Amino acid sequence: MSKVRVLDKAFETSITKDEISNRIKELSKDINTAYADRNPLFLAILNGAFIFAADLYREITIPSEISFVKMASYEGTASTGVVNELIGLNQDISGRHIIIVEDIVDTGLTMKMMVDRLMAFHPASVSICALLQKPSKLQTDIKVDYVAFEIPDRFVIGYGLDYDQQGRNLKEIFSII
Ligand code: 5GP
């Protein structure tokens, strides 16, 4: 088990490179079968999912497309509070089968907002594929259709996930000590 220091915090290996790549092969096999004739559109959520999406998508062998989007939050007026906007979706998704590719589902609030935003464009279906999920933290009725790893409630970094923008380039997933 290796240890790393990122800024002021120490982390130890939680999921190795081999475990990640083996699990991605299993997940993609399931997706290739389930979506064989549906030309799905993968929507990868920036920034955290970019490495997961790149590795997952290279295991997808069926006709499909991928695009990258971002949920941006900003302060609205006093009556609207924090506004969450979906940016980067510049194609028509009506009638399309969407697979959201996310780094980690924690409370599920981000995914709930994302699905709500997408439903307004009348896709044929929306499913969620997440690298990680912390089931004990879930606060919504969101269903994560494909989960690579369920993990305990400990802060993780690496393989695209950051701590204060650092650590995304780590090849394994590390959890805080
Ligand atoms: P949710 O809306 O499900 O509570 O939060 C999802 C977002 O919180 C993720 O996309 C990610 O940006 C962030 N997040 C939640 N848990 C962790 C964690 O353990 N590590 C990192 N790096 N980000 C996390």
Side-chain angles (χ1 to χ4, degrees):
M1 175 171 298
S2 60
K3 294 192 177 173
V4 290
R5 219 180 156 79
V6 175
L7 302 175
D8 59 331
K9 303 220 182 308
F11 297 82
E12 63 188 11
T13 307
S14 161
I15 306 172
T16 64
K17 257 191 327 190
D18 284 352
E19 287 169 330
I20 297 169
S21 77
N22 289 338
R23 187 69 188 112
I24 285 178
K25 287 195 176 88
E26 290 174 359
L27 273 188
S28 50
K29 216 181 257 176
D30 292 347
I31 295 174
N32 284 328
T33 305
Y35 286 85
D37 301 309
R38 299 205 269 170
N39 186 27
L41 170 62
F42 291 80
L43 286 183
I45 314 294
L46 294 173
N47 296 327
F50 79 110
I51 292 179
F52 175 46
D55 283 349
L56 178 79
Y57 198 56
R58 278 178 290 187
E59 298 295 332
I60 297 298
T61 52
I62 55 173
S64 56
E65 298 167 31
I66 187 165
S67 196
F68 292 81
V69 296
K70 195 163 188 161
M71 285 297 284
S73 26
Y74 58 91
E75 290 292 322
T77 62
S79 63
T80 54
V82 175
V83 178
N84 288 282
E85 198 189 353
L86 176 61
I87 54 178
L89 186 65
N90 44 22
Q91 67 195 98
D92 183 10
I93 62 161
S94 70
R96 296 295 305 268
H97 293 281
I98 306 295
I99 303 172
I100 300 171
V101 182
E102 173 66 313
D103 54 357
I104 181 165
V105 177
D106 187 31
T107 61
L109 293 169
T110 309
M111 277 303 93
K112 177 126 187 69
M113 258 170 334
M114 177 86 192
V115 171
D116 287 350
R117 291 278 180 286
L118 292 175
M119 289 315 265
F121 298 108
H122 308 294
S125 67
V126 177
S127 65
I128 299 171
C129 175
L131 172 67
L132 303 169
Q133 183 175 13
K134 293 177 179 167
S136 65
K137 296 283 298 297
L138 199 62
Q139 283 178 25
T140 65
D141 56 0
I142 204 91
K143 180 171 157 273
V144 185
D145 306 84
Y146 302 95
V147 185
F149 301 97
E150 292 191 341
I151 58 167
D153 180 21
R154 269 170 81 189
F155 187 76
V156 290
I157 59 165
Y159 197 70
L161 290 106
D162 74 303
Y163 167 47
D164 211 2
Q165 300 307 325
Q166 299 288 318
R168 294 191 197 275
N169 51 341
L170 295 167
K171 293 187 173 68
E172 304 183 304
I173 295 168
F174 290 80
S175 45
I176 199 158
I177 301 174

